[in-house]
Amino acid sequence: MRQRLSIEDYIAGIRAGDRIVLSQAITVTESRLPADKELASAILKAVLAQSGNAFRIGITGVPGVGKSTFIESFGTYLTSIGKRVAVLAVDPSSQKSRGSILGDKTAMEKLSHNPKAYIRPSATGLFLGGIAKSTREIMLLCEAAGYDVILIETVGVGQSETLVKGITDFFLLLMLAGAGDELQGIKKGIMEMADAIAVNKADGDNVQAAAMAVSTYQSALHLFPKSESGCATEVLSCSALEEKGMEQIWNLIQAFEKTTKENGYFDQNRQKQNLNWMHDRIRQSLEDRFYGNPEIVMKLKSLERDVRDGKELPDLAAEDLLRIFIQKN
Amino acid sequence: MRQRLSIEDYIAGIRAGDRIVLSQAITVTESRLPADKELASAILKAVLAQSGNAFRIGITGVPGVGKSTFIESFGTYLTSIGKRVAVLAVDPSSQKSRGSILGDKTAMEKLSHNPKAYIRPSATGLFLGGIAKSTREIMLLCEAAGYDVILIETVGVGQSETLVKGITDFFLLLMLAGAGDELQGIKKGIMEMADAIAVNKADGDNVQAAAMAVSTYQSALHLFPKSESGCATEVLSCSALEEKGMEQIWNLIQAFEKTTKENGYFDQNRQKQNLNWMHDRIRQSLEDRFYGNPEIVMKLKSLERDVRDGKELPDLAAEDLLRIFIQKN
């Protein structure tokens, strides 16, 4: 077993904002060893009251949109105005060792040497649900350590951005100019999840195209129902490369924070997120238990085939399997 | 207990397209009596091989968009070209006796007297999941009785259109001209669920506004990712009142059917729907069992309060409840 600090040392270190202790505590929360799981729960429980004070921002966009350059630029801007920034990632692709953007810290060289910033590469070797769980816990630890803006990057593949949306206060979608083609890579519904859209790479020859993209997206968003937040989805352009537009984006986020804290959405959303998280965990565990049952595993394949091909009624197949589960559980 | 036919009589009557027997069989599938449930399963199992041959169309839109007039007009057109049409509804509002559109058959007077059409008012007194389950079963019975187009209306409240999308081959969204205000009533994500949008009430003074709405929606849909069906989401206008545009909508649907049967999406989608239906039923039953457990009911309220207010970690609360469930189950 790897060496661990005492629980008191973890708690004191995190509360003091000690980066090394924070990193060690994060390693504990990512561990799958039963003893570590207990330790992680105890640490989290102890610092829970100190967490929750950061503003949590999810950032997504297709590969190539410039997410890591954006986070480098935006994070640097935030530290320049005195914020302490933690950068996390929910990146299922890192499992396949295709190399996570954040796994390679050199992609954010400036920010990674910034004393006001803390970058945590994404956990590897975990399934997506596990990555999300540990990301949520890492976020709480970072908040307890005094970071006041949390940036969570997601690659926008599969379910990851829904998970990130479910643990953040504000969801930023990065896009590129040249509406059409590059959108093919974007999952359905993602535009409707965004609290703001930033058209990145508004630099060089691309400035005019970016301005056009902004107005196209603006008129498209007009057709969408108003967000529950009470804030319209804003569209603006930026150049992460030239560090332009960062202040505007932060102003927009601050206006969002102000409005949603005044109209009650901010608190309601966090409360709802907490509850959803609990119920999602319950659902997930129930399903793991059900689909992990050996007798169900044995029966499922052939029943699925019959249901899929319309030879068996889905309702009756479900009832058959549930009968097995209830008897044998 | 109410009088029932023999199972052989139900099966023979349905296969012969006998409307009275069909109606009686539907009543059996909607019943909650255990004996009826068994009978219903036996009937459905027996006619399953004859079902599945209709084209299934979901129709949604905000109240006031003219859904029942549209179905009257579209259904009448379909019968005029030789189709046999069954009209069903997934309408949770009918529970609250606010009066379902289809509950009041006079809203479709012409169609309800048409020998080639069969209109089934929505079941009342059921929760939404129950309505969806019986709608799916009624659809199968209607198909076995020889109806070759199924129109399923949904009021577009809450989860009902997701349920309808999950049992149909084609999803039609009815809209009105005057983009903006009337969209406020539309649920997020619904435009992305649509296979086609029809701007209704393109009549009288409204013709030009409808044409403008069509082009606005068309350019907005351009920004959306392409549908899995391989077909672009088409937008057109119609006047259900003046029975205009019905042929165009049917042509569009036929083109969709042809393309998706050729590219394999049609079958894949049905197979996926069958599987999803089974797994959704399993999930629902597991959750009913969990949240119906008396000890969990007792503990849940106070745990939910602590989780909501950030005083308890959602993961730990979930684990606590799961421990109770596993011990006591």
Side-chain angles (χ1 to χ4, degrees):
Chain A
M1 183 161 163
R2 290 141 90 189
Q3 232 184 332
R4 299 293 181 225
L5 302 178
S6 74
I7 169 145
E8 292 76 19
D9 286 344
Y10 282 116
I11 295 166
I14 292 166
R15 286 185 182 155
D18 183 322
R19 297 158 68 104
I20 292 168
V21 176
L22 174 63
S23 291
Q24 290 170 335
I26 290 174
T27 302
V28 174
T29 68
E30 287 176 344
S31 163
R32 297 199 217 182
L33 297 173
D36 280 343
K37 282 192 175 186
E38 249 178 74
L39 181 57
S41 290
I43 298 170
L44 280 161
K45 253 179 132 51
V47 302
L48 191 58
Q50 282 82 49
S51 72
N53 297 319
F55 195 77
R56 305 161 177 176
I57 302 171
I59 296 169
T60 195
V62 294
V65 78
K67 283 190 295 296
S68 55
T69 313
F70 178 83
I71 290 174
E72 166 100 335
S73 179
F74 189 55
T76 302
Y77 168 76
L78 291 175
T79 61
S80 81
I81 59 165
K83 300 289 174 192
R84 296 187 68 205
V85 179
V87 180
L88 314 175
V90 172
D91 179 2
S93 72
S94 63
Q95 290 170 266
K96 298 165 195 158
S97 70
R98 279 191 287 145
S100 160
I101 300 159
L102 291 181
D104 180 13
K105 277 202 191 185
T106 55
M108 296 184 196
E109 227 200 315
K110 224 163 97 186
L111 199 60
S112 66
H113 293 112
N114 187 321
K116 292 199 155 182
Y118 178 78
I119 301 180
R120 179 72 185 189
S122 58
T124 51
L126 289 175
F127 61 103
L128 183 56
I131 292 172
K133 179 176 185 292
S134 70
T135 303
R136 190 179 184 282
E137 292 172 350
I138 295 167
M139 176 176 80
L140 298 177
L141 294 175
C142 290
E143 289 179 341
Y147 290 94
D148 33 32
V149 179
I150 313 283
L151 303 179
I152 305 183
E153 180 195 346
T154 167
V155 287
V157 172
Q159 292 298 305
S160 59
E161 66 289 290
T162 308
L163 286 167
V164 172
K165 171 91 180 167
I167 58 175
T168 51
D169 304 314
F170 187 92
F171 200 64
L172 179 65
L173 173 61
L174 297 181
M175 301 268 255
L176 291 175
D181 288 352
E182 86 282 356
L183 272 168
Q184 304 296 326
I186 283 201
K187 229 188 67 179
K188 284 208 166 214
I190 198 149
M191 271 179 76
E192 307 206 13
M193 279 166 53
D195 295 304
I197 294 175
V199 178
N200 193 21
K201 303 193 182 177
D203 37 44
D205 293 346
N206 213 22
V207 171
Q208 204 164 2
M212 271 185 58
V214 167
S215 84
T216 309
Y217 292 137
Q218 268 165 345
S219 56
L221 287 169
H222 240 53
L223 295 171
F224 285 6
K226 206 172 178 188
S227 163
E228 284 172 46
S229 69
C231 299
T233 306
E234 302 279 349
V235 189
L236 30 71
S237 64
C238 68
S239 165
L241 194 70
E242 298 181 353
E243 305 189 8
K244 279 181 187 156
M246 300 302 129
E247 188 179 351
Q248 285 80 347
I249 291 172
W250 181 240
N251 288 345
L252 186 154
I253 292 173
Q254 281 195 299
F256 179 94
E257 185 179 0
K258 186 169 182 290
T259 303
T260 58
K261 282 188 172 168
E262 280 169 8
N263 69 16
Y265 174 78
F266 181 90
D267 285 332
Q268 285 158 26
N269 185 47
R270 283 228 175 154
Q271 292 175 351
K272 205 172 78 180
Q273 288 181 340
N274 285 337
L275 282 178
N276 286 348
W277 188 269
M278 178 178 81
H279 292 298
D280 285 350
R281 287 274 125 185
I282 290 170
R283 181 163 36 238
Q284 193 55 56
S285 293
L286 290 174
E287 286 182 35
D288 289 350
R289 217 174 148 71
F290 181 88
Y291 290 107
N293 179 304
E295 235 185 297
I296 285 172
V297 170
M298 225 173 64
K299 283 228 168 187
L300 189 63
K301 274 260 175 280
S302 73
L303 266 180
E304 276 191 327
R305 194 168 46 235
D306 289 348
V307 165
R308 192 191 59 207
D309 298 342
K311 289 179 190 152
E312 173 67 279
L313 286 162
D315 287 304
L316 292 184
E319 277 167 34
D320 275 1
L321 292 172
L322 285 160
R323 215 170 290 125
I324 294 171
F325 181 68
I326 288 159
Q327 277 169 2
K328 299 284 163 173
N329 204 34
Chain B
M1 183 162 165
R2 288 141 90 190
Q3 233 186 331
R4 298 294 181 223
L5 303 177
S6 74
I7 170 143
E8 292 77 19
D9 286 345
Y10 282 116
I11 295 166
I14 291 167
R15 286 185 182 156
D18 183 323
R19 298 160 67 104
I20 292 168
V21 176
L22 174 62
S23 291
Q24 289 170 334
I26 290 173
T27 302
V28 174
T29 69
E30 288 175 344
S31 164
R32 298 200 217 179
L33 297 172
D36 280 343
K37 282 191 173 184
E38 249 179 73
L39 181 57
S41 290
I43 298 170
L44 280 162
K45 254 179 132 50
V47 303
L48 191 58
Q50 283 82 50
S51 73
N53 297 317
F55 194 78
R56 304 162 178 175
I57 302 171
I59 296 169
T60 195
V62 294
V65 76
K67 283 189 294 297
S68 56
T69 313
F70 177 84
I71 290 174
E72 166 100 337
S73 179
F74 189 56
T76 302
Y77 168 77
L78 291 175
T79 59
S80 80
I81 58 165
K83 300 289 175 191
R84 296 187 68 205
V85 180
V87 180
L88 314 175
V90 172
D91 180 1
S93 72
S94 63
Q95 289 169 268
K96 298 165 194 159
S97 72
R98 277 194 288 145
S100 158
I101 299 158
L102 291 182
D104 180 13
K105 276 201 192 186
T106 55
M108 297 183 194
E109 226 200 314
K110 226 164 97 185
L111 199 60
S112 66
H113 293 112
N114 186 321
K116 291 197 156 182
Y118 178 78
I119 301 180
R120 181 72 185 190
S122 57
T124 52
L126 289 175
F127 61 104
L128 183 56
I131 293 172
K133 179 176 184 294
S134 70
T135 303
R136 190 178 185 282
E137 292 172 348
I138 295 167
M139 177 176 78
L140 298 178
L141 294 175
C142 290
E143 290 179 340
Y147 291 94
D148 34 31
V149 180
I150 313 283
L151 303 178
I152 306 183
E153 180 194 345
T154 168
V155 286
V157 172
Q159 292 299 305
S160 58
E161 65 288 286
T162 308
L163 286 167
V164 172
K165 171 90 180 170
I167 58 176
T168 51
D169 304 313
F170 187 92
F171 200 63
L172 179 65
L173 172 60
L174 296 181
M175 300 268 255
L176 292 175
D181 287 352
E182 88 282 354
L183 273 169
Q184 304 297 325
I186 282 200
K187 230 188 65 178
K188 283 207 166 215
I190 198 150
M191 270 179 78
E192 307 206 11
M193 278 167 54
D195 295 303
I197 294 174
V199 179
N200 193 22
K201 303 194 182 175
D203 38 44
D205 293 346
N206 213 22
V207 171
Q208 204 163 4
M212 272 185 58
V214 167
S215 83
T216 308
Y217 292 137
Q218 268 165 344
S219 55
L221 286 169
H222 241 53
L223 295 172
F224 285 6
K226 207 172 176 185
S227 164
E228 284 173 45
S229 68
C231 299
T233 307
E234 303 278 351
V235 188
L236 30 71
S237 64
C238 68
S239 165
L241 194 71
E242 297 181 352
E243 304 188 10
K244 281 180 185 156
M246 299 303 128
E247 190 180 349
Q248 285 79 349
I249 292 173
W250 181 238
N251 288 344
L252 186 154
I253 291 173
Q254 282 195 297
F256 179 94
E257 185 179 359
K258 187 169 181 292
T259 303
T260 56
K261 283 187 172 168
E262 280 168 9
N263 69 16
Y265 174 79
F266 182 88
D267 286 332
Q268 285 158 27
N269 185 46
R270 283 228 176 154
Q271 291 175 352
K272 204 172 79 181
Q273 287 182 340
N274 285 337
L275 282 177
N276 285 348
W277 188 268
M278 178 179 81
H279 292 296
D280 285 349
R281 287 276 125 186
I282 289 170
R283 180 163 37 239
Q284 193 54 56
S285 293
L286 290 174
E287 287 181 36
D288 288 350
R289 218 176 148 71
F290 181 88
Y291 291 107
N293 179 305
E295 234 185 298
I296 285 171
V297 171
M298 227 173 62
K299 284 229 168 188
L300 189 62
K301 274 259 175 281
S302 73
L303 266 180
E304 277 191 327
R305 195 169 44 236
D306 289 347
V307 164
R308 193 191 58 208
D309 298 341
K311 289 179 191 152
E312 172 67 280
L313 285 162
D315 286 304
L316 293 184
E319 278 167 32
D320 274 2
L321 293 172
L322 285 160
R323 215 170 292 126
I324 295 171
F325 182 68
I326 288 159
Q327 277 169 1
K328 298 286 165 169
N329 203 32

